[in-house]
Amino acid sequence: MKLGGLFEACGIAVPDGAAELDVRSLAYDSRRAGPGAVFVAIGGFHRDGHAFVKEAVDRGAVAVVAQRKVRTKAPLAVVADTRAALADLAAELFDHPTRKLKVVGVTGTDGKTTTVHLVSDVLEAGKERTGFATTVDFKLAGSAWANETRQSTQEAVEIQEFFAELLVAGGTWGVLEATSHALALRKVRGCDIDIAVFTNLSPGHLDFHGTLQAYLDAKALLFMQLATSADKGVTKTAVLNADDPHWRYLADRAVPSRILTYGIDAHADVQGTILMADANGSRVRIAREGEQVELLLPLVGRFNVHNALAAAAAGLAAGISLATAKTALERAVPVRGRMERVDAGQPFTVIVDYAHTPESLDKVLALLRPLTGGKLIAVFGSAGERDRTKRPRLAEVASRYTDLFVITQEDPRLEDPAAILREIEAGAIAAGKQRGKDYLVIDDRSEAIGTAIHRAGPGDTVVLCGKGHESSIIEGEEDRPWNEA
């Protein structure tokens, strides 16, 4: 594109004499800037992109977008919000792919990744061709690959590029995991959302959002995007968990879109009933407007029934029949790092799960406790530079369910690892637990897991929480390769 046309379409003033410059790409990381790039300076959490303008220009960037004046030989445009500008520029440069694709966005504290997978399964069973982007992996029509970026939702440039590639690959529906961080940081801005799904909300990420209300307001941004989306022949629909009291707040912000609720306890448009549940899954009845189906969901736990109901409701909103949704859900497979069993022939159960909040840890341990004939042993930590208030609560939760738990590192980043362990242990002490008897503190995660395994006997369950699918542990600024399973 010509820089003048790109900037004008995004409401950015075109620097004098720069209108005819050729733009080939966008970069927010100076190391990725090349000939023909527009470099957008983002104020990051550790580094400020404004300090890397010279490097980006030296690498070939033809123009710079910044939030303040910086010294540069390249044409400079100053805007109020470079994150919003980056999203607008990305959507325009990739020719607004989500105006042509139909898109489902999934947000909530827990269950997003599994729900995205299930929504994709339901749509595919209805003969649609889908792609998705999640914390765990990506899928473009027929091919899938692991998400190694450690970002649940990519930056705006990668999101728009992904959807553009999906369109070229013949995709009809895109399914996007939309975190509260991504929504607040404008990463999803410029995406035309047709169906917005809410899984649940519990206190989390308060280090970033500050308050639970601000966290909820970030989630609400996804539902507010429904009203501004292009008409693609799909009724704009907010799919909301009626068992979570926050659904009404989100429903109000989704107006005038259609509201479709799902639930187990509360009366809902898509009503779920758990008929039976065991270690292999749940038998579930799903009813909608006089029609009902029964299915055996091969995913363990009540929370997965909620995820399945969300996917069925999203499918109904997309025009997929309840019978087709049943077929897809009966074939569901666990997502990597989500209640993933590790079987090496041992006489006890080992499970890897991503649970890293007190609420998700509570769900996992509450599920495994009655399914475990022997001891329940948990290994967990808490990531550095993330919500510190949850740390003692993790140990309090473990104290209620386990026979033994091991406190260890997760991703200390630039925090003092010993301080993280002390803050988690404070919850164990407050619960009246004794170190060495009820719990252990082992800094090295490999050693912690090895100790838990060696303490386990026939009939026991060892659950390794917090890392899930992640392929590295971040210590300082170094990513050390890791595979929990």
Side-chain angles (χ1 to χ4, degrees):
M1 296 186 70
K2 296 297 183 184
L3 185 121
L6 176 62
F7 276 21
E8 287 173 2
C10 299
I12 298 172
V14 182
D16 292 342
E20 293 303 309
L21 289 172
D22 287 318
V23 176
R24 299 181 183 180
S25 64
L26 293 172
Y28 53 87
D29 182 333
S30 59
R31 295 166 296 185
R32 296 184 183 180
V38 171
F39 179 67
V40 183
I42 303 292
F45 296 104
H46 293 298
R47 291 179 174 82
D48 187 346
H50 292 80
F52 297 89
V53 168
K54 183 180 184 303
E55 180 184 347
V57 173
D58 288 346
R59 288 176 180 268
V62 296
V64 174
V65 178
Q67 274 184 206
R68 62 177 183 268
K69 287 186 176 182
V70 291
R71 292 183 62 183
T72 177
K73 62 185 179 183
L76 172 68
V78 178
V79 298
D81 184 346
T82 47
R83 285 194 173 276
L86 180 66
D88 293 346
L89 290 165
E92 183 66 23
L93 187 64
F94 288 102
D95 197 23
H96 298 276
T98 60
R99 290 180 182 174
K100 307 169 187 74
L101 275 172
K102 289 169 279 191
V103 180
V104 181
V106 180
T107 196
T109 301
D110 298 313
K112 295 185 294 297
T113 299
T114 296
T115 299
V116 167
H117 277 251
L118 294 176
V119 169
S120 174
D121 290 344
V122 169
L123 292 171
E124 293 268 351
K127 308 302 182 187
E128 300 289 348
R129 194 165 170 81
T130 71
F132 59 65
T134 75
T135 302
V136 176
D137 48 17
F138 302 102
K139 175 187 171 186
L140 260 180
S143 61
W145 65 99
N147 180 357
E148 304 286 1
T149 69
R150 297 298 295 270
Q151 284 185 304
S152 295
T153 310
Q154 307 306 292
E155 296 290 344
V157 177
E158 286 77 22
I159 290 174
Q160 296 295 338
E161 183 177 23
F162 176 82
F163 283 132
E165 290 178 351
L166 178 58
L167 198 60
V168 170
T172 58
W173 279 90
V175 192
L176 178 67
E177 181 176 335
T179 66
S180 58
H181 283 72
L183 291 161
L185 294 174
R186 305 292 190 264
K187 295 181 183 182
V188 187
R189 178 182 166 114
C191 290
D192 276 54
I193 306 296
D194 299 285
I195 299 171
V197 179
F198 167 65
T199 60
N200 50 64
L201 188 131
S202 56
H205 306 298
L206 299 187
D207 56 317
F208 175 78
H209 295 290
T211 65
L212 184 63
Q213 183 61 50
Y215 182 32
L216 178 59
D217 286 338
K219 299 291 188 190
L221 292 171
L222 182 69
F223 297 87
M224 294 166 69
Q225 281 182 232
L226 284 168
T228 59
S229 296
D231 183 8
K232 291 169 271 182
V234 179
T235 302
K236 306 297 178 187
T237 306
V239 173
L240 303 167
N241 182 358
D243 288 333
D244 187 296
H246 301 96
W247 79 267
R248 292 184 183 278
Y249 185 86
L250 298 176
D252 289 343
R253 276 133 195 90
V255 173
S257 303
R258 175 174 61 164
I259 305 300
L260 190 63
T261 60
Y262 66 92
I264 299 170
D265 298 325
H267 178 71
D269 300 315
V270 179
Q271 193 71 54
T273 305
I274 301 175
L275 304 174
M276 179 277 295
D278 60 21
N280 297 310
S282 303
R283 180 164 290 282
V284 181
R285 179 190 301 125
I286 304 177
R288 162 69 171 161
E289 292 183 342
E291 180 186 6
Q292 66 178 39
V293 296
E294 287 189 13
L295 62 105
L296 185 59
L297 180 70
L299 302 178
V300 183
R302 177 186 174 91
F303 50 87
N304 273 320
V305 175
H306 271 115
N307 296 338
L309 290 172
L316 289 167
I320 306 298
S321 71
L322 197 55
T324 299
K326 163 192 159 89
T327 300
L329 295 172
E330 286 190 321
R331 296 197 298 248
V333 295
V335 177
R336 183 166 51 94
R338 304 300 195 274
M339 293 300 291
E340 177 185 359
R341 291 177 181 268
V342 182
D343 188 357
Q346 77 277 6
F348 50 89
T349 300
V350 177
I351 291 173
V352 171
D353 193 78
Y354 190 53
H356 60 285
T357 66
E359 292 72 23
S360 57
L361 184 63
D362 189 283
K363 289 177 182 177
V364 167
L365 297 182
L367 169 66
L368 294 175
R369 179 72 275 175
L371 299 178
T372 302
K375 301 189 299 294
L376 177 57
I377 302 171
V379 179
F380 62 91
S382 185
E385 300 179 1
R386 297 295 186 267
D387 186 3
R388 293 175 60 187
T389 63
K390 74 177 184 180
R391 292 173 183 170
R393 293 169 55 217
L394 289 166
E396 290 167 8
V397 170
S399 298
R400 292 202 300 270
Y401 295 104
T402 66
D403 299 285
L404 175 71
F405 58 93
V406 186
I407 300 170
T408 187
Q409 296 299 341
E410 190 174 306
D411 287 298
R413 295 185 171 87
L414 294 173
E415 268 200 71
D416 176 9
I420 295 174
L421 298 179
R422 286 195 299 272
E423 290 180 8
I424 301 172
E425 187 180 11
I429 295 170
K433 299 298 180 180
Q434 296 180 30
R435 184 169 179 168
K437 175 176 176 288
D438 304 305
Y439 70 92
L440 306 172
V441 180
I442 301 175
D443 181 80
D444 180 79
R445 194 172 181 99
S446 294
E447 183 184 345
I449 291 172
T451 300
I453 295 295
H454 285 294
R455 292 285 188 104
D460 292 351
T461 297
V462 178
V463 57
L464 314 176
C465 294
K467 293 299 294 176
H469 65 284
E470 292 178 345
S471 59
S472 66
I473 285 184
I474 304 175
E475 297 178 346
E477 294 187 340
E478 178 187 358
D479 279 21
R480 184 161 57 86
W482 182 256
N483 184 316
E484 189 98 314

PDB file of all heavy atoms in Angstrom, residues 271-287:
ATOM      1  N   GLN A 271     -30.164 -25.439  27.874  1.00  0.00           N
ATOM      2  CA  GLN A 271     -30.173 -26.000  29.223  1.00  0.00           C
ATOM      3  C   GLN A 271     -29.410 -27.311  29.270  1.00  0.00           C
ATOM      4  O   GLN A 271     -29.691 -28.239  28.508  1.00  0.00           O
ATOM      5  CB  GLN A 271     -31.622 -26.251  29.680  1.00  0.00           C
ATOM      6  CG  GLN A 271     -31.747 -26.545  31.167  1.00  0.00           C
ATOM      7  CD  GLN A 271     -31.496 -25.301  32.011  1.00  0.00           C
ATOM      8  OE1 GLN A 271     -32.121 -24.266  31.819  1.00  0.00           O
ATOM      9  NE2 GLN A 271     -30.557 -25.406  32.944  1.00  0.00           N
ATOM     10  N   GLY A 272     -28.435 -27.379  30.164  1.00  0.00           N
ATOM     11  CA  GLY A 272     -27.673 -28.608  30.336  1.00  0.00           C
ATOM     12  C   GLY A 272     -28.053 -29.314  31.613  1.00  0.00           C
ATOM     13  O   GLY A 272     -28.314 -28.677  32.639  1.00  0.00           O
ATOM     14  N   THR A 273     -28.092 -30.644  31.579  1.00  0.00           N
ATOM     15  CA  THR A 273     -28.342 -31.464  32.762  1.00  0.00           C
ATOM     16  C   THR A 273     -27.299 -32.576  32.787  1.00  0.00           C
ATOM     17  O   THR A 273     -27.131 -33.288  31.791  1.00  0.00           O
ATOM     18  CB  THR A 273     -29.742 -32.096  32.724  1.00  0.00           C
ATOM     19  OG1 THR A 273     -30.716 -31.069  32.566  1.00  0.00           O
ATOM     20  CG2 THR A 273     -30.012 -32.879  34.004  1.00  0.00           C
ATOM     21  N   ILE A 274     -26.589 -32.690  33.897  1.00  0.00           N
ATOM     22  CA  ILE A 274     -25.601 -33.763  34.041  1.00  0.00           C
ATOM     23  C   ILE A 274     -26.318 -34.986  34.587  1.00  0.00           C
ATOM     24  O   ILE A 274     -26.784 -34.997  35.731  1.00  0.00           O
ATOM     25  CB  ILE A 274     -24.443 -33.337  34.953  1.00  0.00           C
ATOM     26  CG1 ILE A 274     -23.735 -32.094  34.389  1.00  0.00           C
ATOM     27  CG2 ILE A 274     -23.449 -34.481  35.133  1.00  0.00           C
ATOM     28  CD1 ILE A 274     -22.644 -31.534  35.282  1.00  0.00           C
ATOM     29  N   LEU A 275     -26.417 -36.023  33.769  1.00  0.00           N
ATOM     30  CA  LEU A 275     -27.125 -37.234  34.155  1.00  0.00           C
ATOM     31  C   LEU A 275     -26.226 -38.208  34.891  1.00  0.00           C
ATOM     32  O   LEU A 275     -26.701 -39.002  35.719  1.00  0.00           O
ATOM     33  CB  LEU A 275     -27.699 -37.911  32.899  1.00  0.00           C
ATOM     34  CG  LEU A 275     -28.612 -37.024  32.032  1.00  0.00           C
ATOM     35  CD1 LEU A 275     -28.981 -37.753  30.755  1.00  0.00           C
ATOM     36  CD2 LEU A 275     -29.860 -36.617  32.808  1.00  0.00           C
ATOM     37  N   MET A 276     -24.932 -38.166  34.579  1.00  0.00           N
ATOM     38  CA  MET A 276     -23.964 -39.060  35.197  1.00  0.00           C
ATOM     39  C   MET A 276     -22.577 -38.502  34.956  1.00  0.00           C
ATOM     40  O   MET A 276     -22.331 -37.870  33.927  1.00  0.00           O
ATOM     41  CB  MET A 276     -24.088 -40.468  34.574  1.00  0.00           C
ATOM     42  CG  MET A 276     -23.114 -41.513  35.097  1.00  0.00           C
ATOM     43  SD  MET A 276     -21.466 -41.444  34.299  1.00  0.00           S
ATOM     44  CE  MET A 276     -21.889 -41.890  32.614  1.00  0.00           C
ATOM     45  N   ALA A 277     -21.685 -38.707  35.924  1.00  0.00           N
ATOM     46  CA  ALA A 277     -20.309 -38.231  35.754  1.00  0.00           C
ATOM     47  C   ALA A 277     -19.349 -39.188  36.444  1.00  0.00           C
ATOM     48  O   ALA A 277     -19.634 -39.682  37.543  1.00  0.00           O
ATOM     49  CB  ALA A 277     -20.153 -36.826  36.323  1.00  0.00           C
ATOM     50  N   ASP A 278     -18.226 -39.466  35.797  1.00  0.00           N
ATOM     51  CA  ASP A 278     -17.175 -40.279  36.402  1.00  0.00           C
ATOM     52  C   ASP A 278     -15.830 -39.839  35.844  1.00  0.00           C
ATOM     53  O   ASP A 278     -15.726 -38.780  35.214  1.00  0.00           O
ATOM     54  CB  ASP A 278     -17.431 -41.781  36.183  1.00  0.00           C
ATOM     55  CG  ASP A 278     -17.485 -42.166  34.706  1.00  0.00           C
ATOM     56  OD1 ASP A 278     -16.949 -41.414  33.852  1.00  0.00           O
ATOM     57  OD2 ASP A 278     -18.053 -43.226  34.396  1.00  0.00           O
ATOM     58  N   ALA A 279     -14.822 -40.663  36.054  1.00  0.00           N
ATOM     59  CA  ALA A 279     -13.470 -40.296  35.654  1.00  0.00           C
ATOM     60  C   ALA A 279     -13.272 -40.283  34.143  1.00  0.00           C
ATOM     61  O   ALA A 279     -12.231 -39.832  33.656  1.00  0.00           O
ATOM     62  CB  ALA A 279     -12.473 -41.262  36.292  1.00  0.00           C
ATOM     63  N   ASN A 280     -14.252 -40.788  33.401  1.00  0.00           N
ATOM     64  CA  ASN A 280     -14.134 -40.831  31.945  1.00  0.00           C
ATOM     65  C   ASN A 280     -14.896 -39.716  31.246  1.00  0.00           C
ATOM     66  O   ASN A 280     -14.734 -39.518  30.041  1.00  0.00           O
ATOM     67  CB  ASN A 280     -14.626 -42.183  31.417  1.00  0.00           C
ATOM     68  CG  ASN A 280     -13.780 -43.326  31.916  1.00  0.00           C
ATOM     69  OD1 ASN A 280     -12.556 -43.279  31.819  1.00  0.00           O
ATOM     70  ND2 ASN A 280     -14.412 -44.339  32.492  1.00  0.00           N
ATOM     71  N   GLY A 281     -15.753 -39.007  31.989  1.00  0.00           N
ATOM     72  CA  GLY A 281     -16.536 -37.944  31.367  1.00  0.00           C
ATOM     73  C   GLY A 281     -17.911 -37.828  31.981  1.00  0.00           C
ATOM     74  O   GLY A 281     -18.137 -38.258  33.121  1.00  0.00           O
ATOM     75  N   SER A 282     -18.841 -37.272  31.231  1.00  0.00           N
ATOM     76  CA  SER A 282     -20.193 -37.026  31.749  1.00  0.00           C
ATOM     77  C   SER A 282     -21.235 -37.370  30.695  1.00  0.00           C
ATOM     78  O   SER A 282     -21.030 -37.140  29.501  1.00  0.00           O
ATOM     79  CB  SER A 282     -20.355 -35.548  32.137  1.00  0.00           C
ATOM     80  OG  SER A 282     -19.394 -35.145  33.081  1.00  0.00           O
ATOM     81  N   ARG A 283     -22.357 -37.939  31.169  1.00  0.00           N
ATOM     82  CA  ARG A 283     -23.528 -38.072  30.295  1.00  0.00           C
ATOM     83  C   ARG A 283     -24.373 -36.831  30.507  1.00  0.00           C
ATOM     84  O   ARG A 283     -24.738 -36.500  31.630  1.00  0.00           O
ATOM     85  CB  ARG A 283     -24.322 -39.335  30.605  1.00  0.00           C
ATOM     86  CG  ARG A 283     -25.548 -39.496  29.703  1.00  0.00           C
ATOM     87  CD  ARG A 283     -26.115 -40.897  29.712  1.00  0.00           C
ATOM     88  NE  ARG A 283     -25.240 -41.845  29.052  1.00  0.00           N
ATOM     89  CZ  ARG A 283     -25.119 -41.985  27.742  1.00  0.00           C
ATOM     90  NH1 ARG A 283     -25.853 -41.215  26.924  1.00  0.00           N
ATOM     91  NH2 ARG A 283     -24.302 -42.860  27.223  1.00  0.00           N
ATOM     92  N   VAL A 284     -24.661 -36.139  29.408  1.00  0.00           N
ATOM     93  CA  VAL A 284     -25.285 -34.815  29.492  1.00  0.00           C
ATOM     94  C   VAL A 284     -26.516 -34.759  28.603  1.00  0.00           C
ATOM     95  O   VAL A 284     -26.525 -35.302  27.487  1.00  0.00           O
ATOM     96  CB  VAL A 284     -24.275 -33.721  29.032  1.00  0.00           C
ATOM     97  CG1 VAL A 284     -24.895 -32.332  29.143  1.00  0.00           C
ATOM     98  CG2 VAL A 284     -22.986 -33.800  29.841  1.00  0.00           C
ATOM     99  N   ARG A 285     -27.548 -34.101  29.108  1.00  0.00           N
ATOM    100  CA  ARG A 285     -28.708 -33.771  28.278  1.00  0.00           C
ATOM    101  C   ARG A 285     -28.647 -32.282  27.959  1.00  0.00           C
ATOM    102  O   ARG A 285     -28.431 -31.455  28.851  1.00  0.00           O
ATOM    103  CB  ARG A 285     -30.016 -34.096  28.986  1.00  0.00           C
ATOM    104  CG  ARG A 285     -31.266 -33.733  28.132  1.00  0.00           C
ATOM    105  CD  ARG A 285     -32.566 -33.833  28.938  1.00  0.00           C
ATOM    106  NE  ARG A 285     -32.766 -35.166  29.451  1.00  0.00           N
ATOM    107  CZ  ARG A 285     -32.969 -35.451  30.738  1.00  0.00           C
ATOM    108  NH1 ARG A 285     -32.951 -34.477  31.638  1.00  0.00           N
ATOM    109  NH2 ARG A 285     -33.158 -36.690  31.135  1.00  0.00           N
ATOM    110  N   ILE A 286     -28.820 -31.943  26.680  1.00  0.00           N
ATOM    111  CA  ILE A 286     -28.862 -30.544  26.265  1.00  0.00           C
ATOM    112  C   ILE A 286     -30.217 -30.285  25.618  1.00  0.00           C
ATOM    113  O   ILE A 286     -30.624 -31.012  24.705  1.00  0.00           O
ATOM    114  CB  ILE A 286     -27.744 -30.208  25.263  1.00  0.00           C
ATOM    115  CG1 ILE A 286     -26.369 -30.566  25.840  1.00  0.00           C
ATOM    116  CG2 ILE A 286     -27.779 -28.721  24.900  1.00  0.00           C
ATOM    117  CD1 ILE A 286     -25.210 -30.323  24.879  1.00  0.00           C
ATOM    118  N   ALA A 287     -30.909 -29.272  26.121  1.00  0.00           N
ATOM    119  CA  ALA A 287     -32.253 -28.955  25.605  1.00  0.00           C
ATOM    120  C   ALA A 287     -32.300 -27.514  25.128  1.00  0.00           C
ATOM    121  O   ALA A 287     -31.716 -26.613  25.744  1.00  0.00           O
ATOM    122  CB  ALA A 287     -33.298 -29.172  26.694  1.00  0.00           C
TER     123      ALA A 287
END
